[in-house]
Amino acid sequence: MDLSAAESSQEIAAELAVALVRDGTPLIDVREPGEWVVGHAPDAHLIPLGELDARTSELPRDTEILVICHSGARSDRAARALREAEFIAVSISGGMLAWAAAGGEVETGGAT
């Protein structure tokens, strides 16, 4: 799915994000490991915001990437930084709070 309209707004609604991730769009969680274990999307890949610059080699450059955090502030900063580095990245509005409210799967514990 093309996120070009979402890119101009820099955010995407959680309901749409849930559907996109189910269809295989990569999801990056930029929270800290302690937040991750409390609850995260099963298909997310944890890259804490402070490590993002050093770990961009783990991310695809040829596809859209969704970015999530707890409430949306960190994911907005992360998505902006990724776009500046020429990635196609969009923040999920409302973060994990909105993800869960939209019916997105949440699991606890686990390794990254």
Side-chain angles (χ1 to χ4, degrees), residues 60-98:
R61 286 195 176 271
D62 59 347
T63 189
E64 294 101 356
I65 301 169
L66 300 180
V67 186
I68 197 164
C69 65
H70 178 70
S71 63
R74 284 176 284 180
S75 61
D76 182 58
R77 288 195 308 266
R80 187 175 304 124
L82 288 170
R83 285 192 302 273
E84 289 173 3
E86 300 184 10
F87 287 89
I88 307 165
V90 178
S91 175
I92 298 174
S93 180
M96 283 300 296
L97 298 173

Side-chain angles (χ1 to χ4, degrees), residues 11-29:
E11 286 188 324
I12 189 171
E15 294 82 5
L16 180 55
V18 168
L20 289 169
V21 170
R22 282 187 191 136
D23 288 342
T25 301
L27 176 62
I28 306 305
D29 190 323

Side-chain angles (χ1 to χ4, degrees), residues 1 3 36 44 51-53 57-58 61 63 69-70 74 76 93 98 106-107:
M1 178 177 280
L3 297 178
W36 168 271
E51 298 175 16
L52 188 60
D53 286 341
S57 64
E58 299 174 30
R61 286 195 176 271
T63 189
C69 65
H70 178 70
R74 284 176 284 180
D76 182 58
S93 180
V106 177
E107 66 182 23

